[in-house]
């Protein structure tokens, strides 16, 4: 085993053991499912850090670097636009809590649209949580060997097991607590990477500013698509929405707004890794190519930043899965049930790794499939029949599958370049979702 590989294994094992050691032990339901006790709730900056790092997952920063490589600065900004989701979710959740008196997204949906809507919504977010497990752990595995190699599989299993261990210990309390540590580590490691990049004489901020082309074909399509999806995307992610109900409404709103800024800046900064790769003529995965170009130390730093970001997402996935089934779907509130759910999700989410499952982009295809949630949450004050929920969500799913199977008519695409189809499927899809949502209201009035 090479020395660099030994250090990589040390990073995974030691970080996992330390997070387990530091994680609080949840002894009550509120501690395990809501990260709160009789004495305190997550503070402004604790919640902000948790929100940001739970969304800066391994797949996310890999995509940011690759978009920087492909499109320059506009690629990074386009991907950062997804963090508008925090502002949208923060404002809507604040209204749901203060004006509607709702204590969860599930309570809102059940009261307005019935148990059928609750079940369909739960299936959608359940699939999201299931995908989060293997889509992040496969990124970690790629740093330990080629897909299918012993090192690849071993890294995935060990990393998942260690993350599961501290998630079992404290549930959402562990997730929030370790998120703060992981956010701090991410910031330090990102600074180290950028410091080394800008130490190169042939690379400067001017190169970053002038990289890429601000046009629809060279990233503009993705930028607009990301903004459009931000009005629905956050609501099918329980990792995000669960954090909207654990602190006071004002603290929560401020945290979500700050997370929009901090998260967007972090993603844009990490895309500089890809911009550097573009300027240096490097090929392949941007983060991997740049880390190898700088040698063993930076390779370990990049490896550690991936471990940190993936762990933060994975522990949040486990805690949200437990809350979804135990609390939201009312299967029971015992701590043992929540912990068993985590174990089952960890095993089920790891199985696709051994089946060579194809990773679907979490920010394009699944983002399109849930655009039907847009009118449901943006127009939550509007009284509509229960059927409106199913028509809108069904319409979104239809357009999502149209995108997946490349069935969208080219005559309705009015821009060119990469992501043009994604943009226009979302535009037309949103128009149809709003129409489908309000048609029952219009029919009822006639």
């Amino acid at each position: 085993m090479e020395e660099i590989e030994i250090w990589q294994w040390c990073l995974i094992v030691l970080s996992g053991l330390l997070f387990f050691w530091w994680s609080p032990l949840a002894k009550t339901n509120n501690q395990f499912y809501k990260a709160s006790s009789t004495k305190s709730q997550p503070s402004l900056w604790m919640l902000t850090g948790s929100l940001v790092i739970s969304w800066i997952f391994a797949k996310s920063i890999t995509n940011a670097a690759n978009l920087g490589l492909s499109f320059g600065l506009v690629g990074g900004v386009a991907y950062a636009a997804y963090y508008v989701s925090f502002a949208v979710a923060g404002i809507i959740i604040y209204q749901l809590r203060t004006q509607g008196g709702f204590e969860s997204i599930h309570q809102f949906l059940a009261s307005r649209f019935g148990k059928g809507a609750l079940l369909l919504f739960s299936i959608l977010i359940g699939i999201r949580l299931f995908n989060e497990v293997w889509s992040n752990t496969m990124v970690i595995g790629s740093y330990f060997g080629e897909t299918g190699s012993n090192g690849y599989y071993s890294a995935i299993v060990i990393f998942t097991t260690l993350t599961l261990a501290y998630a079992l210990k404290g549930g959402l309390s562990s997730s929030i607590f370790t998120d703060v540590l992981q956010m701090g580590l991410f910031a330090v490691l990102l600074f180290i990477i950028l410091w080394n990049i800008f130490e190169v004489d042939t690379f400067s901020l001017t190169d970053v500013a002038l990289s890429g082309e601000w046009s629809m074909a060279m990233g503009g399509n993705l930028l607009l698509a990301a903004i459009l999806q931000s009005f629905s995307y956050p609501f099918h992610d329980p990792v995000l929405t669960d954090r909207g109900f654990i602190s006071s409404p004002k603290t929560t709103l401020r945290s979500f707004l700050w997370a929009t800024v901090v998260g967007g800046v972090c993603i844009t900064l990490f895309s500089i890794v890809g911009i550097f790769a573009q300027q240096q003529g490097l090929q392949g995965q941007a983060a991997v190519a740049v880390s190898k170009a700088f040698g063993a130390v930076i390779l370990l730093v990049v490896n550690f930043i991936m471990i940190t970001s993936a762990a933060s997402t994975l522990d949040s996935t486990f805690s949200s899965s437990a809350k979804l089934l135990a609390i939201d779907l009312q299967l029971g509130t015992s701590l043992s049930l929540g912990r068993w759910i985590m174990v089952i999700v960890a095993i089920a989410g790891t199985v696709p790794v051994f089946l060579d499952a194809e990773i679907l982009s979490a920010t394009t295809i699944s983002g399109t499939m849930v655009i039907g949630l847009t009118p449901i949450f943006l127009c939550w004050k509007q009284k509509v029949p229960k059927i409106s929920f199913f028509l809108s969500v069904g319409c979104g799913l239809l357009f999502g599958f149209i995108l997946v199977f490349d069935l969208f008519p080219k005559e309705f695409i009015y821009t060119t370049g990469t992501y043009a189809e994604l943009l226009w499927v979302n535009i037309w899809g949103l128009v149809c979702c709003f129409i489908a949502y309000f048609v029952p209201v219009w029919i009822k009035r006639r």
Side-chain angles (χ1 to χ4, degrees), residues 30-290:
N30 278 342
Q31 290 173 334
F32 190 82
Y33 293 111
K34 298 183 179 179
S36 64
S37 63
T38 55
K39 296 181 179 180
S40 64
Q41 296 174 326
S43 64
L44 170 65
W45 293 111
M46 181 179 287
L47 188 56
T48 300
S50 179
L51 284 165
V52 173
I53 196 63
S54 66
W55 256 40
I56 301 180
F57 41 94
K59 191 66 179 172
S60 170
I61 56 180
T62 298
N63 287 342
N66 288 338
L67 286 168
L69 173 63
S70 300
F71 302 113
L73 182 59
V74 65
V77 173
Y79 201 70
Y82 278 103
Y83 285 77
V84 173
S85 295
F86 283 123
V88 173
I91 293 169
I92 297 299
I93 289 174
Y94 179 80
Q95 293 176 347
L96 288 173
R97 294 179 67 181
T98 58
Q99 298 175 28
F102 298 108
E103 297 180 358
S104 70
I105 295 293
H106 281 72
Q107 183 189 21
F108 160 67
L109 292 175
S111 65
R112 287 289 179 86
F113 304 105
K115 292 184 178 179
L118 183 65
L119 179 60
L120 176 58
F121 179 75
S122 297
I123 291 172
L124 289 176
I125 65 175
I127 294 172
R128 158 84 182 188
L129 290 169
F130 174 74
N131 287 341
E132 287 288 9
V133 178
W134 49 270
S135 66
N136 278 280
T137 57
M138 288 176 80
V139 174
I140 298 300
S142 67
Y143 282 81
F144 288 81
E146 296 294 326
T147 302
S149 66
N150 290 333
Y152 174 83
Y153 288 132
S154 298
I156 289 173
V157 172
I158 292 173
F159 173 74
T160 303
T161 301
L162 290 171
T163 306
L164 175 64
Y166 75 77
L168 288 171
K169 184 179 179 183
L172 190 56
S173 291
S174 283
S175 180
I176 297 288
F177 178 78
T178 55
D179 280 349
V180 176
L181 301 177
Q182 289 156 345
M183 185 64 209
L185 280 172
F186 177 86
V188 172
L189 296 171
L190 179 58
F191 175 80
I192 293 172
I193 293 170
L194 294 178
W195 178 272
N196 279 270
I197 284 176
F198 284 110
E199 280 286 289
V200 176
D201 294 335
T202 57
F203 191 73
S204 66
L205 285 173
T206 302
D207 295 307
V208 174
L210 297 178
S211 63
E213 177 185 326
W214 290 84
S215 66
M216 295 299 290
M218 297 301 293
N221 290 315
L222 179 61
L223 175 60
L224 293 181
I227 293 173
L228 289 176
Q229 288 187 359
S230 293
F231 291 98
S232 58
Y233 192 74
F235 300 107
H236 95 299
D237 183 8
V239 168
L240 184 153
T241 55
D242 284 351
R243 284 160 170 74
F245 295 88
I246 58 178
S247 293
S248 69
K250 286 187 177 180
T251 297
T252 301
L253 177 60
R254 291 168 62 199
S255 295
F256 273 70
L257 295 178
W258 271 112
T260 304
V261 177
V262 177
V265 169
C266 286
I267 284 296
T268 303
L269 288 176
F270 201 86
S271 71
I272 294 175
V273 173
I275 297 171
F276 177 79
Q278 180 191 72
Q279 196 249 17
Q280 299 294 313
L282 301 177
Q283 302 294 323
Q285 293 285 333
V288 177
V290 170

Side-chain angles (χ1 to χ4, degrees), residues 380-417:
W380 72 272
K381 296 179 184 179
Q382 178 73 42
K383 298 293 185 181
V384 296
K386 293 180 179 180
I387 190 65
S388 291
F389 175 92
F390 298 96
L391 291 175
S392 182
V393 171
C395 187
L397 288 170
L398 175 62
F399 274 86
F401 283 114
I402 287 174
L403 180 62
V404 171
F405 295 108
D406 195 24
L407 300 175
F408 192 71
K410 307 304 178 187
E411 295 80 8
F412 293 101
I413 300 175
Y414 299 110
T415 56
T416 59

